[in-house]
């Protein structure tokens, strides 16, 4: 077994353990009678709200496809058709839902590379940039909610520490990105052949990877990208809010900006495909801050999880059949013949 397979196996095992531990934490205090009662209490009006939530979730995928399309156009000057960007994005989301270790991102890069002959390293750079804007928007939601919502003192301290840690990480990443050529070419890395070769390889990859990032540093393009990402996450927040109203959770919309930020920042942690278990735990934790009963929070997590999992999987399956693509075939071919970091 080569190093890549070993690393993938380790990530997969960690993800399964994280999800299993999360599920254990979730079910230890569940009152199943109350859980069933809460779920059974969803009325006809509640089903209407859930339908609206589902429609909004589909809308976020349409906007995300446009967002990714523009990043590629800004970065490569390549006029990717909207259908192709939606198709590849949907297949990638399905991959994340059913395969371990965020394999959907690899699938996105491989499928789009075959469709367009764009380098995979460039496509990974575009995906990174898409996620970076998502991170900025989610941090903005955290900041906005912290100004409006009055938290208990212990929560406030955790929030401050989290901001400092995340801010420090972003700061050091920016410093590295600005001076990576000097850093990787420094004589300190020349004493070892391995380090020297590794730094040269990393330098080559970053030069290809950074192209969409450099191109989008234009203020107008950055603002457009931020606004599109903001639209995606506002729509997702309203979708969650509608699920909350279905269960008669008495929280205003501003509280859901915090909830969606906590859920999606926490979902960075490796977990089982589809974030099963971890998603439920993060929902319960974020809702418990505002005194929502754990059983109600669990039903909320299950309903919202079903909505985004079903919608993204449905789109992915549709495009898989429409384009006659096999996820497992893509991954097996990539592992056997191509180092996906390499690009062409």
């Amino acid at each position: 077994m080569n190093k890549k397979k070993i690393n993938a196996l380790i990530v997969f095992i960690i993800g399964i353990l994280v999800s299993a531990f999360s599920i254990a934490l979730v079910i230890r205090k569940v009152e199943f009678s109350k859980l069933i009662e809460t779920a059974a209490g969803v009325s006809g009006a509640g089903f209407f709200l859930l339908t609206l939530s589902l429609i909004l979730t589909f809308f976020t995928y349409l906007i995300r496809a446009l967002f990714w399309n523009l990043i590629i156009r800004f970065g490569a000057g390549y006029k990717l058709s909207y259908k192709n960007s939606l198709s590849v994005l949907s297949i990638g989301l399905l991959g994340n839902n059913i395969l371990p270790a965020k394999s959907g991102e690899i699938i996105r890069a491989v499928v789009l590379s075959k469709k367009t002959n764009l380098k995979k390293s460039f496509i990974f750079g575009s995906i990174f940039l898409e996620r970076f804007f998502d991170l900025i928007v989610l941090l903005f939601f955290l900041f906005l909610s912290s100004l409006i919502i009055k938290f208990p003192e212990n929560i406030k301290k955790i929030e401050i520490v989290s901001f400092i840690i995340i801010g420090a990480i972003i700061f050091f990443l920016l410093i590295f990105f600005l001076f990576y050529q000097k850093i990787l070419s420094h004589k300190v890395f020349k004493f070892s052949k391995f380090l020297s070769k590794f730094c040269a390889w990393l330098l080559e990859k970053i030069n290809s990877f950074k192209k969409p990032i450099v191109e989008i540093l234009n203020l107008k393009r950055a603002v457009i990208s931020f606004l599109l990402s903001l639209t995606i996450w506002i729509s997702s927040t309203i979708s969650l809010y509608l699920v909350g109203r279905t269960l008669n959770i008495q929280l205003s919309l501003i509280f859901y900006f915090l909830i969606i930020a906590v859920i999606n920042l926490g979902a960075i942690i490796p977990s089982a495909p589809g974030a099963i278990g971890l998603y439920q735990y993060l929902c319960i934790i974020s809702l418990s801050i505002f005194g929502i009963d754990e059983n109600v929070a669990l039903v909320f997590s299950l309903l919202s999880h079903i909505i985004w999992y079903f919608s993204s999987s449905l789109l992915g399956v549709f495009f898989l059949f429409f384009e006659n693509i096999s996820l497992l075939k893509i991954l097996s071919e990539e592992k056997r013949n191509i180092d996906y970091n390499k690009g062409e």
Side-chain angles (χ1 to χ4, degrees):
M1 186 178 290
N2 61 35
K3 285 186 178 180
K4 277 190 180 180
K5 288 184 178 179
I6 292 172
N7 290 339
L9 181 61
I10 291 171
V11 172
F12 174 70
I13 291 172
I14 291 173
I16 293 297
L17 290 175
V18 168
S19 285
F21 183 64
S22 299
I23 291 170
L25 291 175
V26 166
I27 65 174
R28 64 185 178 131
K29 291 185 178 180
V30 169
E31 298 174 33
F32 288 98
S33 58
K34 195 169 183 179
L35 190 70
I36 294 169
E37 182 184 339
T38 302
V42 177
S43 62
F47 286 115
F48 174 72
L49 292 176
L50 291 177
T51 303
L52 288 180
S53 177
L54 180 63
I55 292 170
L56 262 178
T57 304
F58 275 116
F59 174 73
T60 65
Y61 302 140
L62 299 179
I63 299 299
R64 185 168 291 281
L66 175 63
F67 179 28
W68 191 38
N69 185 295
L70 287 178
I71 289 176
I72 291 169
R73 185 171 297 192
F74 290 155
Y78 185 91
K79 292 186 178 180
L80 178 67
S81 72
Y82 178 76
K83 182 185 81 67
N84 276 339
S85 58
L86 178 60
S87 167
V88 176
L89 173 70
S90 302
I91 292 169
L93 291 173
L94 174 63
N96 283 338
N97 285 349
I98 63 176
L99 296 172
K102 301 288 184 183
S103 297
E105 313 298 19
I106 300 171
I107 289 167
R108 280 170 70 178
V110 174
V111 174
L112 188 60
S113 179
K114 288 183 176 181
K115 281 176 172 286
T116 62
N117 290 322
L118 289 169
K119 288 184 176 181
K120 287 190 285 294
S121 54
F122 170 83
I123 299 169
F124 277 116
S126 70
I127 295 171
F128 168 82
L129 195 55
E130 175 197 340
R131 299 306 185 193
F132 178 76
F133 276 103
D134 288 342
L135 175 64
I136 295 300
V137 170
L138 291 172
L139 290 175
F140 172 70
F141 283 179
L142 276 180
F143 177 72
L144 182 68
S145 58
S146 69
L147 294 178
I148 299 173
I149 301 171
K150 291 184 178 180
F151 295 104
E153 193 60 34
N154 58 332
I155 300 294
K156 201 76 175 177
K157 288 178 181 177
I158 294 172
E159 186 183 35
I160 292 170
V161 171
S162 300
F163 270 118
I164 291 172
I165 293 172
I166 294 171
I169 291 171
I170 292 175
F171 173 76
F172 283 114
L173 283 175
L174 288 173
I175 292 295
F176 177 78
F177 180 74
L178 290 172
F179 301 104
Y180 73 93
Q181 289 184 325
K182 289 184 179 180
I183 293 171
L184 295 176
S185 302
H186 197 276
K187 61 183 180 181
V188 72
F189 296 113
K190 303 293 183 183
F191 75 92
S192 164
K193 279 188 178 181
F194 170 78
L195 274 178
S196 181
K197 286 182 179 180
F198 174 76
C199 289
W201 172 84
L202 187 58
L203 194 60
E204 179 189 344
K205 299 308 164 192
I206 293 176
N207 284 331
S208 176
F209 183 84
K210 76 170 186 176
K211 189 177 179 183
I213 301 172
V214 171
E215 293 297 331
I216 213 167
L217 288 177
N218 171 293
L219 180 61
K220 182 180 177 181
R221 291 175 174 180
V223 169
I224 291 171
S225 299
F226 176 79
L227 290 176
L228 282 172
S229 185
L230 185 64
T231 302
I232 290 166
W233 288 107
I234 288 176
S235 300
S236 296
T237 303
I238 296 172
S239 177
L240 274 189
Y241 171 75
L242 291 172
V243 176
R245 293 303 301 165
T246 299
L247 299 172
N248 202 30
I249 295 175
Q250 301 299 317
L251 293 175
S252 62
L253 183 60
I254 187 62
F255 289 88
Y256 286 89
F257 286 107
L258 173 70
I259 292 166
I260 201 165
V262 170
I263 292 170
N264 286 278
L265 290 173
I268 295 172
I269 300 168
S271 62
I276 294 171
L278 179 62
Y279 182 88
Q280 280 66 42
Y281 179 69
L282 291 169
C283 281
I284 291 171
I285 287 295
S286 54
L287 284 168
S288 67
I289 295 172
F290 309 113
I292 304 301
D293 179 80
E294 288 185 352
N295 298 282
V296 175
L298 179 55
V299 175
F300 170 88
S301 74
L302 293 172
L303 289 175
S304 57
H305 200 177
I306 288 169
I307 285 171
W308 74 253
Y309 192 96
F310 168 78
S311 56
S312 57
S313 297
L314 184 65
L315 273 178
V317 168
F318 170 78
F319 282 110
L320 274 183
F321 280 102
F322 183 76
E323 304 205 15
N324 194 27
I325 293 173
S326 166
L327 294 184
L328 293 178
K329 187 177 179 181
I330 290 169
L331 288 177
S332 63
E333 283 179 0
E334 190 67 3
K335 287 178 181 179
R336 187 169 59 247
N337 301 319
I338 303 171
D339 177 359
Y340 69 82
N341 287 314
K342 200 173 192 178
E344 295 179 0

